[in-house]
């Protein structure tokens, strides 16, 4: 992995070269280096397996040049990228590409200016530096240790279950698969507008699925951390995954209907991280693709819900010091006690909205200049490939640490009692805005960690892949009846954002039974008074 000093030098030397370009108005030289090391787990008890596949690594590095210049009476904007080279020659080639592919964009108002930067408050987490300083060999050794610890945790949980059921490993037909990741990222930039800065971060991620294949039972576990210490236990993550699968043995089918629901950590990450957060992306609002268009300051959710993004969260796996535009990161308030109070954005989108006051008022419902603090460009990143700030990517709008909380949070047990009778959905998959983003209509399949709720307690497990949610997300967040105080940093597959997700209870959520034609068989049940046959 290329060191920070090399990235800083190439951007500053490249800037000198860029400043010589004829007709130059403004420009940016950006460089990055990213490394993703993966320990892929595949452990089974009934067929031969390696347990841990050979650790793999993926490295990318390169330079990116953005240039705004005058030519033939027009202002043109272009971007050029040169991969796998960190030299002045690479910068030269990137400049040629940027000028060659430049287009006129009358809505572009320039890059971030140094005088527009707020005072820097956040500092680099020194504990992250320990991960950043690991050599390739040390990374491999660490991943091997973490992965075998993960398997050991799962095996120990499974052994107790096998002894209780008097089953051999082959009879159990247990499968554990997933990944442990170490992601390291470095970036630097230098601009004609006086911004010269750099950032580097590292984190450890885990994403596991455990299955008892013959019993059609599936459980999950995950983790997101910035360092390896007492708050991270690969053994516990493996154990949790195996126990979650064991808890799912004996699953039943449920009928179509509207249910009072408690959504677990990963399901909330899908609903809020993947589906809800884009509606507070200023670019989506600008395009008319958000269900929150023209609703700034209005009530859009239950007053129980507060939602924000915070790249300065201490110990947060998604924390960054600066954006990929050089803007200091901070806390971006999105929903406060149910009211829409802010948006995630990058500088270019913010500038566009501010420059066209009439258009901004049309899409926001208020003069953007009157809510200037609600559209600070604290979320402009070049995320790509499920980890890293990649020079090949243009700046986009992304969450970092998306935090879901409530001023009236309750314990998980209290939330279950509030729901009383309904279902618990622990993990959703294939969640999509099937009606288009602006409609709010979403769909997803419940694939693991699901239970019926009876008399305020988790009751019978629900068979994986037998229930599908289809409802309006905008209406669902209006029907929140409780938010627990058990936040857990959770990831989605190939996602760069970390969602700090608690359990969330909602009423009257529409679910459909998959393969409904089987509903006449004895094992299909209607769970509560809220369930209504479709």
């Amino acid at each position: 992995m290329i060191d920070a000093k090399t990235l800083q030098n190439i951007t500053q030397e490249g800037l000198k070269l860029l400043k010589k370009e004829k007709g130059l108005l403004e420009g940016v030289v950006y460089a990055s280096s990213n490394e993703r090391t993966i320990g892929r787990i595949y452990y089974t008890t009934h067929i031969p397996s390696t347990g841990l596949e050979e650790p793999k690594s993926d490295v990318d590095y390169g330079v990116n040049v953005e240039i705004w210049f005058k030519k033939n009476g027009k202002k043109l904007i272009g971007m050029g990228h040169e991969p796998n080279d960190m030299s002045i020659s690479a910068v030269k080639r990137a400049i040629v590409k940027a000028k060659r592919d430049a287009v006129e964009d009358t809505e572009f108002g320039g890059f971030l200016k140094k005088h527009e930067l707020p005072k820097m408050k956040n500092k680099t987490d020194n504990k992250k530096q320990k991960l950043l300083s690991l050599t390739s060999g040390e990374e491999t050794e660490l991943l091997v240790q973490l992965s075998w610890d993960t398997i050991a945790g799962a095996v120990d949980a499974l052994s107790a279950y096998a002894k209780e059921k008097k089953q051999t490993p082959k009879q159990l037909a247990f499968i554990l698969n997933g990944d442990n990741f170490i992601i390291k990222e470095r970036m630097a930039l230098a601009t004609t507008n006086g911004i010269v800065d750099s950032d580097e971060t590292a984190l450890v991620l885990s994403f596991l699925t455990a299955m008892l294949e013959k019993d059609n039972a599936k459980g999950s576990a995950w983790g997101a951390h910035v360092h390896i210490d007492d708050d991270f236990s690969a053994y516990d993550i493996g154990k949790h995954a195996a126990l979650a699968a064991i808890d799912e043995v004996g699953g039943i089918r449920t009928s179509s209907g509207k249910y009072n629901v408690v959504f677990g950590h990963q399901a909330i990450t899908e609903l809020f991280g993947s589906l809800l957060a884009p509606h507070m992306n200023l670019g989506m609002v600008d395009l008319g693709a958000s269900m929150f268009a023209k609703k700034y300051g209005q009530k859009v959710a239950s007053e129980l819900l507060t939602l924000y993004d915070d790249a300065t969260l201490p110990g947060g796996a998604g924390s960054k010091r600066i954006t990929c535009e050089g803007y200091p990161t901070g806390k971006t308030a999105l929903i406060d006690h149910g009211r829409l109070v802010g948006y995630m954005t990058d500088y270019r989108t913010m500038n566009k909205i501010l420059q066209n006051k009439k258009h901004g008022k049309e899409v926001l419902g208020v003069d953007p200049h009157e809510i200037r603090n609600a559209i600070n460009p604290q979320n402009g990143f070049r995320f790509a490939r499920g980890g890293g700030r990649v020079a090949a990517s243009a700046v986009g709008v992304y969450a970092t640490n998306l935090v879901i909380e409530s001023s009236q949070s309750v314990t998980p047990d209290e939330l279950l009692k509030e729901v009383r009778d309904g279902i618990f959905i622990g993990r959703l998959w294939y969640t999509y805005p099937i009606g288009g983003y602006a409609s709010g209509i979403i769909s997803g399949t419940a694939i693991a960690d699901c239970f019926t709720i009876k008399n305020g307690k988790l009751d019978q497990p629900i068979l994986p892949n037998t229930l599908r949610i289809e409802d309006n997300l905008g209406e669902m967040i209006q029907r929140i009846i409780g938010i627990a105080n058990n936040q857990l940093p959770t990831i989605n597959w190939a996602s760069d954002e970390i969602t700090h997700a608690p359990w969330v209870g909602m009423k009257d959520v529409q679910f459909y039974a998959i393969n409904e034609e089987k509903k006449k068989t004895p094992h299909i049940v209607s769970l509560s008074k809220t369930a209504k046959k479709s």
Side-chain angles (χ1 to χ4, degrees), residues 171-444:
Q171 289 171 327
L172 287 173
F174 177 76
I175 300 171
L176 179 71
N177 60 23
D179 301 293
N180 289 318
F181 305 80
I182 295 176
I183 299 175
K184 300 193 295 188
E185 52 189 33
R186 291 192 175 106
M187 55 75 67
L189 80 164
T191 81
T192 57
N193 293 335
I195 299 173
V196 178
D197 211 339
S198 61
D199 196 12
E200 53 185 358
T201 53
L203 64 156
V204 180
L205 302 175
S206 298
F207 197 105
L208 294 173
T209 298
M211 291 178 281
L212 289 162
E213 195 171 30
K214 292 181 179 178
D215 291 311
N216 198 9
K218 184 185 295 186
S220 313
W222 46 85
H225 305 266
V226 296
H227 46 85
I228 306 297
D229 63 5
D230 292 340
D231 77 342
F232 179 89
S233 171
Y235 178 92
D236 286 345
I237 291 174
K239 183 177 181 180
H240 179 88
L243 290 174
I246 291 168
D247 287 343
E248 288 290 298
V249 173
I252 62 170
R253 288 180 174 271
T254 65
S255 59
S256 298
K258 289 187 176 181
Y259 292 93
N260 291 340
V261 182
V262 174
F263 290 102
H265 303 293
Q266 195 280 335
I268 285 298
T269 298
E270 285 283 339
L271 293 174
F272 284 68
S274 297
L275 296 175
L276 183 62
H279 291 279
M280 290 159 285
N281 176 330
L282 191 61
M284 294 286 283
V285 176
D286 176 48
L287 289 171
S290 169
M291 62 184 177
F292 295 151
K294 302 180 182 180
K295 291 188 177 181
Y296 176 83
Q298 296 182 28
K299 183 178 180 296
V300 296
S302 163
E303 64 181 16
L304 295 175
L305 177 64
T306 291
L307 179 68
Y308 59 88
D309 182 67
D310 190 358
T312 64
L313 190 69
S319 294
K320 319 286 182 189
R321 193 179 65 84
I322 61 171
T323 71
C324 291
E325 296 176 297
Y327 197 89
T329 56
K331 180 178 178 180
T332 302
L334 301 170
I335 295 175
D336 182 43
H337 293 82
R339 287 192 317 112
L340 180 64
V341 296
Y343 305 89
M344 295 180 289
T345 187
D346 60 350
Y347 180 80
R348 182 176 302 192
T349 306
M350 179 205 73
N351 214 22
K352 175 184 175 183
I353 291 291
L354 290 173
Q355 285 185 339
N356 192 335
K357 178 179 175 180
K358 181 179 179 182
H359 173 70
K361 191 171 182 178
E362 287 177 354
V363 298
L364 298 175
V366 64
D367 183 343
H369 295 271
E370 295 178 2
I371 59 165
R372 181 62 183 78
N373 289 333
I375 53 173
N376 284 325
Q378 298 179 142
N379 293 89
F381 295 99
R382 298 176 186 262
F383 290 162
R385 299 184 183 178
R389 301 163 77 166
V390 180
S393 301
V395 174
V397 178
Y398 299 92
T400 54
N401 295 300
L402 187 68
V403 181
I404 302 153
E405 64 182 23
S406 175
S407 61
Q408 301 178 51
S409 63
V410 296
T411 67
D413 285 343
E414 288 171 335
L415 183 58
L416 290 172
K417 288 179 182 177
E418 179 69 24
V419 168
R420 185 171 174 77
D421 293 306
I423 58 177
F424 178 92
I425 302 297
R427 182 173 172 187
L428 291 170
W429 204 245
Y430 293 107
T431 52
Y432 296 107
I434 58 171
Y437 268 109
S439 75
I441 300 172
I442 57 101
S443 177

